[in-house]
Amino acid sequence: EVQLVESGGGLVQPGRSLKLSCAASGFTYSNYVMAWVRQAPTKGLEWVASISTGGGNTYYRDSVKGRFTISRDNAKNTLYLQIDSLRSEDTATYYCAKHGGYYFDYWGQGVMVTVSS
Amino acid sequence: DIQMTQSPASLSASLEEIVTITCKASQGIDDYLSWYQQKPGKSPQLLIYDATSLADGVPSRFSGSRSGTQYSLKISRPQVDDSGIYYCLQSYSTPLTFGSGTKLEIK
């Protein structure tokens, strides 16, 4: 059974940093592109970033470029999202998602990040 | 960026109706279009991928189609459990973009 379990969220002050983790199991993690998708409270879904199987290629939405860093550890079956210079507009539930192909076939349960002073 | 214009924003339907939700892409996306259902407090679940392929375990009352750059999700004889918010996603190019969502209520 595929499982994606996010952790690392919480309440953070503006300008601070946070690192989210996503522990993957139930599939050959190193064979799949992975992604982060977020959802602000009461809002729609927003793709944040994706990373290739080996980690050598990363893709970001413009609004997070330079502040967010997606990475992966294939030995630990874990995906990460380093978030720096947090802004109030980064407040959201962050989902880890597995690319099945050109779609997301599995999602984690989500982790909440709240940016507030 | 590719814009995905999703409609309607909300929809109420009965058990006997056929429900149709559409997403129009601002340019061609080569059928790299998927549909997701999200229930309150839950993560999204894949319904349809590559515009017309049914995801594993998804009931056959769900189907996807395309006409030009407009993609449609159809639910035939919906069940009460199909209530939720539906999103389309284009994965043709980055940034990947979702539609704005359709809130569906089945009465």
Side-chain angles (χ1 to χ4, degrees):
Chain A
E1 178 194 7
V2 172
Q3 287 199 328
L4 299 170
V5 180
E6 301 96 336
S7 60
L11 174 62
V12 187
Q13 292 180 328
R16 302 298 289 266
S17 297
L18 199 65
K19 188 171 187 176
L20 306 182
S21 299
C22 170
S25 62
F27 64 103
T28 305
Y29 175 74
S30 59
N31 286 355
Y32 291 92
V33 177
M34 298 294 295
W36 290 97
V37 176
R38 68 183 178 183
Q39 186 171 36
T42 73
K43 300 298 185 183
L45 300 168
E46 182 176 79
W47 170 79
V48 172
S50 293
I51 186 167
S52 61
T53 54
N57 294 302
T58 56
Y59 310 86
Y60 300 92
R61 67 181 305 102
D62 284 349
S63 62
V64 308
K65 281 180 184 175
R67 297 191 303 120
F68 287 26
T69 303
I70 187 171
S71 62
R72 64 191 297 162
D73 185 334
N74 285 346
K76 294 183 177 180
N77 288 356
T78 303
L79 179 71
Y80 302 100
L81 186 67
Q82 174 72 39
I83 309 175
D84 298 324
S85 304
L86 275 155
R87 305 170 179 169
S88 58
E89 56 264 36
D90 297 322
T91 293
T93 296
Y94 285 74
Y95 295 101
C96 166
K98 171 182 171 288
H99 278 261
Y102 289 89
Y103 51 91
F104 299 126
D105 57 353
Y106 291 94
W107 300 64
Q109 85 285 355
V111 62
M112 185 69 199
V113 173
T114 303
V115 184
S116 175
S117 54
Chain B
D1 298 2
I2 296 175
Q3 308 302 316
M4 301 302 296
T5 303
Q6 186 171 344
S7 62
S10 63
L11 177 61
S12 182
S14 69
L15 296 173
E16 303 305 314
E17 293 184 46
I18 296 176
V19 170
T20 302
I21 299 168
T22 64
C23 271
K24 185 169 177 58
S26 58
Q27 65 183 74
I29 57 171
D30 276 357
D31 288 352
Y32 292 129
L33 188 285
S34 47
W35 291 97
Y36 302 84
Q37 177 196 64
Q38 186 178 33
K39 297 189 177 183
K42 300 295 186 181
S43 55
Q45 301 292 310
L46 176 68
L47 299 173
I48 300 287
Y49 64 96
D50 297 346
T52 61
S53 297
L54 194 66
D56 289 346
V58 175
S60 59
R61 62 181 178 272
F62 291 89
S63 63
S65 63
R66 174 182 65 82
S67 176
T69 59
Q70 180 162 291
Y71 293 83
S72 298
L73 173 70
K74 186 172 76 172
I75 312 173
S76 301
R77 292 182 298 281
Q79 304 299 301
V80 173
D81 188 54
D82 296 337
S83 297
I85 301 177
Y86 291 78
Y87 296 93
C88 64
L89 166 70
Q90 72 78 20
S91 303
Y92 177 75
S93 66
T94 57
L96 307 187
T97 46
F98 288 91
S100 53
T102 295
K103 185 173 184 180
L104 175 63
E105 179 194 21
I106 304 299
K107 298 174 293 188

